[in-house]
């Protein structure tokens, strides 16, 4: 009979003073060695530049002279004496609250059309995804600028129906609208995520709803949307963050000015102009930190709202 105390004896072997066996220590060292490229990137490319930009946000720095400490002057000036700052905030909010819902609605609509297996559906899915691969590029922004120009293809199409167009991107009333359309056109990525979510909904749910007399809209509202809400939530978070970070299209289409009449002056464009146009790196750093904090608050609000409309399959087990 094996003695109980013997069976419960701890593993033998030399230990260090801290109680960690040499083998475990070697494994830990090996883990940190493999992590070292990521750690170097985290500290060297992300954290240290962020901390330095926080320091610069309290200085007057023009890239040519040494930073001069000015305290909270940049933040005070930003909120109290810079009308273009508030204009960029309003433009960015308008762009985000219009482009994100429109983009998600288009993505969900196309996903609903393409999630059933039909002949050639794979080709259509690929074609609809292509704009997302190209949409963020400078080339597409230039194409968009040409399409909505005074002599562009959009006005040519309108002329067929006897409608006189205009230089849409040069009109302050419509310039931002062209950016919203461009953003919605890049619906491929959320569409793919919606397709994956729709594939996970059991067909029995729709069959049961149909037996109860539910029509297409009722099935969509009471079956599809609730079961798809976790995927929708995921897309809302990603697209909201991306919507507030929009830069390339606004910068290229406006010629790097945010015009006409600051109608396309998104926050990121104004930040760039302050930093690399006016060489006010301290002020631009302060803007960047305000942007980071605001985006964090908005993202936290989206997460908080999820408890009201996102339904998870295991909710009944909680």
């Amino acid at each position: 009979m094996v003695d109980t105390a013997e069976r419960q004896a701890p593993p033998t072997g030399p230990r260090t003073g801290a109680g960690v066996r040499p083998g475990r220590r070697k494994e830990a060292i090996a883990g940190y060695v493999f992590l070292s490229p990521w750690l170097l990137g985290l500290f060297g490319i992300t954290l240290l530049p962020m901390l330095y930009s926080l320091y610069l946000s309290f200085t007057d720095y023009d890239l040519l002279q040494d930073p001069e400490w000015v305290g909270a002057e940049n933040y005070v000036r930003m909120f109290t004496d810079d009308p273009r700052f508030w204009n960029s905030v309003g433009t960015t909010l308008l762009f985000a609250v219009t482009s994100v819902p429109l983009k998600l609605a288009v993505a969900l609509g196309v996903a609903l059309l393409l999630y059933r297996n039909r002949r050639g559906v794979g080709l259509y899915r690929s074609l609809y995804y292509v704009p997302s691969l190209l949409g963020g590029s400078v080339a597409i922004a230039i194409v968009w600028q040409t399409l909505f120009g005074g002599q562009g293809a959009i006005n040519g199409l309108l002329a067929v129906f006897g409608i006189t167009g205009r230089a849409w991107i040069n009109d302050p009333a419509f310039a931002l609208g062209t950016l919203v359309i461009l953003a919605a056109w890049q619906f491929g990525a959320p569409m793919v995520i919606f397709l994956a979510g729709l594939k996970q909904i059991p067909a029995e749910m729709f069959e049961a709803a149909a037996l109860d007399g539910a029509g297409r809209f009722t099935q969509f509202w009471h079956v599809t949307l609730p079961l798809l809400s976790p995927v929708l939530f995921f897309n809302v978070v990603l697209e909201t963050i991306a919507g507030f970070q929009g830069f390339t299209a606004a910068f290229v289409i406006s010629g790097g000015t945010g015009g006409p009449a600051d109608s396309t002056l998104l926050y990121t464009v104004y930040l760039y102009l302050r930093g690399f146009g006016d060489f006010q790196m301290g002020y631009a750093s302060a803007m960047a930190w305000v942007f980071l904090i605001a985006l964090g608050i908005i993202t936290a609000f989206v997460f908080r709202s999820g408890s009201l409309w996102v339904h998870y399959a295991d909710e009944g087990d909680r």
Side-chain angles (χ1 to χ4, degrees), residues 53 56-57 74-75 78 267 281-291:
S53 75
L56 289 180
S57 71
N74 289 326
Y75 293 94
M78 185 190 313
Y267 194 97
M281 300 303 294
Y283 192 87
S285 297
M287 286 188 63
W289 274 96
V290 170
F291 185 61

Side-chain angles (χ1 to χ4, degrees), residues 5-316:
E6 182 180 344
R7 284 186 295 159
Q8 294 179 349
T12 59
R15 287 177 176 270
T16 64
V20 180
R21 292 198 303 275
R24 298 294 299 272
R25 173 168 292 182
K26 288 181 180 179
E27 290 179 1
I29 293 174
Y32 282 114
V33 169
F34 282 110
L35 278 174
S36 58
W38 182 84
L39 291 174
L40 287 174
L42 175 65
F43 287 101
I45 301 177
T46 303
L47 290 183
L48 290 179
M50 285 183 66
L51 292 176
Y52 188 60
S53 75
L54 180 60
Y55 161 71
L56 289 180
S57 71
F58 295 100
T59 67
D60 181 12
Y61 181 46
D62 61 359
L63 290 176
L64 300 177
Q65 305 294 328
D66 291 336
E68 180 182 352
W69 183 266
V70 295
E73 180 181 322
N74 289 326
Y75 293 94
V76 173
R77 184 156 55 98
M78 185 190 313
F79 290 116
T80 62
D81 192 26
D82 190 353
R84 292 194 80 192
F85 167 78
W86 289 110
N87 180 69
S88 69
V89 171
T91 303
T92 304
L93 284 173
L94 180 60
F95 174 76
V97 300
T98 52
S99 65
V100 172
L102 180 61
K103 183 177 185 178
L104 292 179
V106 174
L108 179 58
V110 175
L112 288 170
L113 292 174
L114 298 180
Y115 87 98
R116 297 186 186 280
N117 292 324
R118 298 187 179 92
R119 186 176 182 182
V121 70
L123 174 63
Y124 288 112
R125 290 172 184 167
S126 301
L127 290 176
Y128 281 118
Y129 186 71
V130 168
S132 286
L133 298 177
L134 305 174
S137 66
V138 173
I140 289 300
I142 295 174
V143 170
W144 214 255
Q145 190 179 34
T146 304
L147 282 175
F148 285 91
Q151 304 299 322
I154 299 300
N155 283 344
L157 179 63
L158 293 176
V160 173
F161 300 97
I163 301 174
T164 303
R166 61 181 71 198
W168 305 96
I169 59 173
N170 295 325
D171 190 328
F174 296 98
L176 187 64
T178 62
L179 296 181
V180 171
I181 296 173
L182 175 57
W185 181 63
Q186 303 163 22
F187 62 85
M191 179 200 71
V192 171
I193 297 173
F194 278 135
L195 280 172
L198 289 169
K199 288 285 188 182
Q200 300 303 314
I201 300 177
E204 293 80 6
M205 302 293 290
F206 298 104
E207 293 171 0
L211 288 175
D212 288 340
R216 293 277 186 180
F217 179 79
T218 304
Q219 291 181 28
F220 171 76
W221 190 256
H222 292 286
V223 178
T224 304
L225 272 185
L227 294 178
L228 199 63
S229 59
V231 177
L232 179 59
F233 173 73
F234 181 76
N235 271 334
V236 168
V237 172
L238 290 186
E239 295 303 327
T240 299
I241 295 173
F244 280 98
Q245 292 178 331
F247 173 80
T248 303
F251 186 81
V252 173
I253 290 177
S254 68
T257 65
D262 286 350
S263 59
T264 61
L265 187 66
L266 299 183
Y267 194 97
T268 52
V269 174
Y270 186 48
L271 190 156
Y272 177 88
L273 292 176
R274 279 292 195 174
F276 297 96
D278 301 332
F279 296 107
Q280 297 181 13
M281 300 303 294
Y283 192 87
S285 297
M287 286 188 63
W289 274 96
V290 170
F291 185 61
L292 176 65
I293 295 171
L295 199 53
I297 293 173
I298 292 170
T299 304
F301 174 77
V302 174
F303 269 91
R304 185 67 178 172
S305 70
S307 61
L308 301 175
W309 59 274
V310 179
H311 305 278
Y312 294 98
D314 59 347
E315 278 183 335

